């Protein structure tokens, strides 16, 4: 569902720096939520079981029978996300109702597959389930003294999608629909043709840090001129502005006058910036993002609580890049699975594909610079030598996320 | 191993293609991680003056289903696309300076061959 809003409709989410200082305060923010393992247990119960979590995109699962298994230790869950014969995407616990084996075997944190017959079969004793959930067949069924097959379908998890992003909610009765949970965030970011950008370069790594250390490092533009001096040399004047607060979510805009572009990057970029499908498209941005359509717009940097970021660039920042996302999945208190994905519209020819490889490599290298800080930051916080983070205006997303976290934990 | 075949205007790049051109990102990364500043310079000096001509030729071919010689050139261009920042930005270092260990980044999609 698409709900586009004019910039005027969303005027109430805009904040000046003074507003941000007044609403969120200017004091240092305690690091206890990062350092205390007991808080992590609370987060599992009060946040990751009580919010909508992005787990897939609809274009990853284009055909009936396409599925994805996502291992989510934060919820002690293996989740099967699958497109049924009726075209609907559903989510189930990947758990056989016979005795609990995994129905679809998986390796690593994420496994893709396709069931042409629209069934999944548990390898332990051969129970067969439809991709829309019901138990279809049981070997030697007559040998069970009692078996209520009608009640033994896969255990469903609430699942809904917004703009092609698939979300799940572990609570059996979510307090809010996905639309209500996203609220003004859904209206601010709605309307961009996300689903056209089906070419994805997807990276992950396991970081020895609390998930919020990784999340916060990707939530501000303050670090760009220093940490990215190697991969973004001569970055001229990062302007991090247009602050917006939207319930548990928040957003802001990175403007910048560009950087010293290397000769090879210029050549590759020209393959993309001169074509209709890959060129900068400020006109496609939702109306309340970069409302003045400034030419130095780089990307919109939101925090979709609790653990998802969509950087919407519309080709204006990195050449040809439509958008990129980050997600931070806690594995335990001090370990995090980070997933970073660069999305492009499909290349029309081999030269565009090479150019996308170059842009992807530059961005992946910048991510190597970002991730370099995270384990040290966590070790520093765990040393107990600092009690608080000092946060400047451009780090307001951190301040806001920390406050939202406290609110959920206190609920 | 015999050098890979390349389209006529680029046959002289065959020794570079033999060294650098590989179908998967992980394979290309392995080669890049073991490259010296001199290796990056040699690749750069051979490729950069021809880059526009290479991209022009590649732009005439679809992203998949290229003839073998064009495909070899494409893979060499992919290797260059990933290697050029090491010469232009990182002073010939095979690692991004002040970075996380690149070997710990995992291609989540199984790194399909191009
Ligand atoms: S546990 Fe799945 S069929 Fe027995
Ligand atoms: Fe960064």
């Amino acid at each position: 569902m698409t709900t586009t809003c004019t910039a005027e409709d969303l005027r109430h989410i805009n904040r000046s720096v003074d507003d941000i200082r007044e609403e969120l305060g200017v004091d240092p923010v305690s690091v206890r939520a990062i350092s205390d393992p007991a808080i992590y247990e609370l987060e599992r119960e009060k946040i990751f079981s009580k919010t909508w979590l992005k787990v897939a995109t609809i274009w990853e699962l284009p055909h009936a029978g396409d599925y994805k298994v996502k291992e989510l230790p934060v919820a002690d869950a293996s989740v099967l996300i699958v497109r049924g014969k009726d075209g609907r995407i559903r989510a189930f616990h990947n758990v056989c109702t016979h005795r609990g084996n995994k129905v679809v075997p998986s390796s690593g944190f994420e496994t893709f597959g396709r069931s042409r017959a629209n069934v999944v079969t548990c390898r332990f004793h051969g129970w067969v389930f439809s991709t829309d959930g019901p138990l279809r067949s049981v070997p030697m069924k007559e040998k069970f003294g009692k078996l209520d097959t009608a009640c033994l379908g896969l255990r469903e998890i609430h699942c809904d999608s917004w703009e092609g992003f698939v979300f799940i909610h572990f609570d059996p009765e979510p307090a809010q629909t996905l639309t209500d949970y996203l609220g003004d965030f859904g209206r601010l970011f709605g309307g961009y043709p996300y689903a056209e950008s089906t070419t994805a370069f997807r990276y992950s790594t396991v970081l020895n840090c609390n998930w919020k250390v990784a999340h916060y490092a990707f939530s501000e533009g303050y670090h760009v001129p220093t940490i990215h001096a190697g991969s973004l040399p001569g970055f001229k004047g990062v302007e991090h502005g247009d602050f917006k607060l939207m319930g548990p979510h928040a957003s802001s805009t990175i403007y910048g006058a560009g950087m010293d572009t290397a000769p090879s990057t210029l050549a590759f970029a020209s393959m993309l910036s001169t074509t209709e499908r890959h060129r900068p498209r400020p006109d496609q941005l939702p109306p309340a993002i970069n409302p003045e359509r400034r030419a130095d717009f780089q990307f919109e940097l939101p925090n979709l609580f609790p653990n998802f970021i969509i950087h919407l660039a519309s080709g204006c920042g990195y050449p040809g890049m439509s958008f990129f996302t980050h997600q931070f999945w806690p594995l335990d208190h001090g370990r995090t699975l980070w997933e970073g994905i660069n999305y492009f519209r499909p290349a029309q020819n081999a030269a565009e594909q090479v150019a996308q490889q170059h842009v992807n490599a530059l961005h992946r290298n910048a991510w190597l610079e970002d991730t370099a800080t995270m384990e040290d930051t966590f070790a520093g916080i765990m040393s107990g030598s600092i009690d608080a983070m000092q946060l400047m205006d451009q780090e307001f997303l951190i301040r806001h996320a920390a406050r939202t976290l406290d609110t959920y934990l206190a609920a | 191993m015999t050098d890979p075949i390349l389209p006529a205007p680029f046959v002289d790049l065959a020794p570079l293609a033999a060294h650098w051109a590989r179908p998967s990102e992980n394979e290309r990364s392995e080669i890049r991680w073991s490259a010296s500043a001199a290796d990056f310079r040699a690749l750069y000096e051979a490729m950069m003056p021809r880059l526009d001509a290479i991209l022009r030729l590649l732009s005439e071919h679809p992203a998949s289903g290229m003839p073998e010689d064009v495909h070899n050139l494409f893979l060499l261009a992919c290797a260059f696309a990933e290697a050029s920042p090491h010469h232009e930005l990182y002073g010939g270092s095979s690692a991004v300076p002040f970075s996380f260990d690149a070997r710990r980044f995992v291609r989540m999609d199984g790194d399909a061959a191009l």
Side-chain angles (χ1 to χ4, degrees), chain A residues 397-409:
Chain A
L397 286 172
I398 301 174
R399 202 180 273 288
H400 180 257
R403 203 167 86 152
T404 305
L405 191 101
D406 287 346
T407 308
Y408 270 79
L409 296 187

Side-chain angles (χ1 to χ4, degrees), chain B residues 29-73:
Chain B
S29 292
E30 287 292 343
I31 293 167
R32 211 173 56 250
W33 292 331
S34 63
S36 67
D39 295 333
F40 285 120
R41 173 177 297 279
L43 178 68
Y44 193 85
E45 287 177 351
M47 292 290 287
M48 195 59 220
R50 321 272 288 273
L51 187 55
D52 287 335
I54 292 170
L55 291 173
R56 214 174 306 125
L57 187 146
L58 291 178
S59 70
E60 287 158 16
H61 292 270
S64 61
M66 288 167 253
E68 189 187 342
D69 57 342
V70 177
H71 189 247
N72 289 333
L73 183 69

